[in-house]
Amino acid sequence: MLDTSKGDSRIKPLCLAKLRITMLAAMLGTIFEPLAALADSLPLSKLEGRIASSLHLKAKEIQIGYAQHLIRQEQAKEGMQIAGRLDAGHHRQIVTSSLTRNYNALQPYVGLSYPLLGGRAQQLEATKTAQTQLLLNSIELDAARLHLLNQLRKQYTLYWQYSQAEQLAGQYVETLAANQPAASKLHEKGMWTGSEHLRFNNELAAARGEQQRFRALQRVALNTMHSILGQRIEVFQPIQPDLPQLCLSSANLTQSAERHSAELKHLKAQREALLYNREIDAGSSLNASLHLGVSYVDEFASDRRGYAATGGVSIHMPAGFQEAERANKDRLNAAVMVNRTLDDQARLDLQLNTAQAFENLRLAQTRLEVIKSQAQTARESLREVQMQFDLVPQPVFQELMQKISLEYQAALAEIEGQSQLLQKTSDLLLLAPDSCTEAGKV
């Protein structure tokens, strides 16, 4: 405010307690702790404990149950086959003679058969395919859980970032609003031009708008967490995320990434199935079966009746049997070679992605250190200007407002830098969730 009672145009010192509170309460690990908790705090670890409620994971679990039923179905179809038949009708021999028989009869038949060679291999291959699918579904479930954890951690981090930024913006608005009367007096006394006064008011309006924007972004992050977890989450006070530890060595990160790579696990499961099929597919082009059967004949209107027991082996094979066998073996060998080539490429890609995620994390760490240094400089600069303002308020007022604005922007940048570092950490955890596990342990 202006001291007009003595005809002096100097600005009296504003409430120094208010000025010193603004922008100086913050930074580092406990940056801008809320002055009053409007909602209960909820750490990230508790939200991670709710990940099992995700509808996406539930769908994956149902797929696993389906695969288990399919295995039982294929296993039940293995081995011995039972055949039954009941014939009833009129029998007349085509070739006629004085002994030509013409009769009506009922003929039931019961038989057992067991597949050999290719037929048996097809049964085993069908069961192995179902078992492989169960393994693939389990791998997909684990991968989906990791991806959801990564998304949840990122959205929680954003929610925390916007919460801190909204509190900081609120403090900035309070500071500008507290200085608005003084700015108006400067304009009235002709010490500020209309554009300078308008710029100050625009800054205050922009700060209020930014505060509302941060609140809206909080709601977006919260709604995204609703979707990830498949359950409603009430508004809560976030705590700075405490992510699992990372051991930042290339060897540890690569080993952890290979242990948890869904692509490598998929290729391994498919390769094992191919190798299994290659072992059992000898004679795959031969459809052979061992069979036993009993039939009973009862002629109507006569006392002729009896049974017949049969047994034997039936074989069906193509004329080019040997060529078909060689082609089948070559097909499986080629499939194994393709699988191993894809496995080698997947490992190279995984090493590249892990190294890139590691570098992104290091860049985020470096950027945060620079931002912290800049924020410290801005705070120190603001402190010096405040000291000058205490002594000579009028000429320092505009510079003080500029320093407050710069300190606010530096504080926002530090919050964002911390958030980026946490998100890059989460990205690396997605690839290497247990990099601190001892070598050889899975």
Side-chain angles (χ1 to χ4, degrees), residues 367-383:
R367 179 174 178 268
L368 180 58
E369 290 303 318
V370 173
I371 290 173
K372 284 182 176 181
S373 177
Q374 293 172 341
Q376 180 62 33
T377 300
R379 289 194 296 273
E380 183 62 24
S381 179
L382 174 59
R383 187 186 66 82

Side-chain angles (χ1 to χ4, degrees), residues 131 303 321:
Q131 292 171 340
D303 58 356
F321 162 69

Side-chain angles (χ1 to χ4, degrees), residues 384-403:
E384 292 174 355
V385 173
Q386 282 182 322
M387 292 173 62
Q388 296 175 21
F389 178 76
D390 292 346
L391 299 174
V392 190
Q394 177 182 322
V396 183
F397 182 78
Q398 184 166 348
E399 184 180 0
L400 176 63
M401 293 300 100
Q402 292 174 348
K403 295 300 182 182

Side-chain angles (χ1 to χ4, degrees), residues 117-367:
L117 299 174
R120 177 59 176 161
Q122 291 171 8
Q123 287 184 346
L124 296 175
E125 184 175 347
T127 300
K128 183 63 175 179
T129 298
Q131 292 171 340
T132 301
Q133 186 59 53
L134 174 61
L135 180 56
L136 294 179
N137 288 343
S138 299
I139 294 170
E140 291 174 1
L141 175 63
D142 293 337
R145 185 179 290 108
L146 281 177
H147 278 281
L148 287 174
L149 275 176
N150 179 51
Q151 294 175 21
L152 180 63
R153 288 166 177 169
K154 283 189 168 184
Q155 291 303 318
Y156 186 98
T157 299
L158 288 174
Y159 187 74
W160 170 82
Q161 173 190 342
Y162 297 136
S163 175
Q164 301 301 306
E166 188 270 333
Q167 294 174 38
L168 176 62
Q171 294 176 2
Y172 184 47
V173 167
E174 290 178 3
T175 301
L176 294 180
N179 287 277
Q180 192 173 30
S184 298
K185 287 293 184 182
L186 284 174
H187 179 54
E188 291 173 6
K189 294 296 183 179
M191 299 175 188
W192 260 16
T193 64
S195 61
E196 289 174 324
H197 188 232
L198 181 61
R199 188 182 303 114
F200 178 90
N201 289 330
N202 287 341
E203 182 74 16
L204 177 57
R208 286 172 174 155
E210 196 161 47
Q211 186 179 18
Q212 294 299 321
R213 183 174 71 88
F214 290 136
R215 288 174 181 168
L217 290 173
Q218 286 183 72
R219 290 194 293 270
V220 172
L222 187 64
N223 289 335
T224 305
M225 286 188 282
H226 293 171
S227 177
I228 292 171
L229 296 179
Q231 61 178 235
R232 180 161 183 79
I233 307 172
E234 298 299 331
V235 175
F236 64 90
Q237 180 62 48
I239 301 172
Q240 183 169 342
D242 184 16
L243 298 178
Q245 184 180 2
L246 277 170
C247 290
L248 299 179
S249 76
S250 298
N252 285 12
L253 292 172
T254 300
Q255 290 172 7
S256 177
E258 289 183 356
R259 282 196 298 270
H260 292 274
S261 171
E263 185 175 6
L264 290 180
K265 290 180 179 179
H266 270 243
L267 289 170
K268 181 181 178 181
Q270 292 166 353
R271 182 168 60 254
E272 289 176 350
L274 288 171
L275 293 173
Y276 177 82
N277 292 339
R278 190 174 67 178
E279 293 299 322
I280 66 172
D281 269 354
S284 61
S285 299
L286 279 71
N287 289 320
S289 64
L290 172 67
H291 54 84
L292 301 172
V294 175
S295 61
Y296 181 80
V297 179
D298 187 358
E299 296 183 8
F300 299 153
S302 75
D303 58 356
R304 294 173 62 88
R305 58 185 58 86
Y307 67 90
T310 60
V313 176
S314 61
I315 300 177
H316 302 275
M317 65 180 182
F321 162 69
Q322 293 181 337
E323 181 60 29
E325 286 295 297
R326 283 195 296 267
N328 182 62
K329 186 175 181 179
D330 291 343
R331 175 183 67 84
L332 291 172
N333 287 334
V336 171
M337 291 179 62
V338 169
N339 180 280
R340 286 175 173 161
T341 302
L342 292 175
D343 184 271
D344 292 339
Q345 184 61 56
R347 291 179 186 277
L348 291 176
D349 293 341
L350 187 60
Q351 292 173 8
L352 174 63
N353 293 337
T354 304
Q356 184 175 353
F358 184 27
E359 289 303 319
N360 289 340
L361 177 62
R362 294 178 63 181
L363 289 173
Q365 288 174 327
T366 302
R367 179 174 178 268

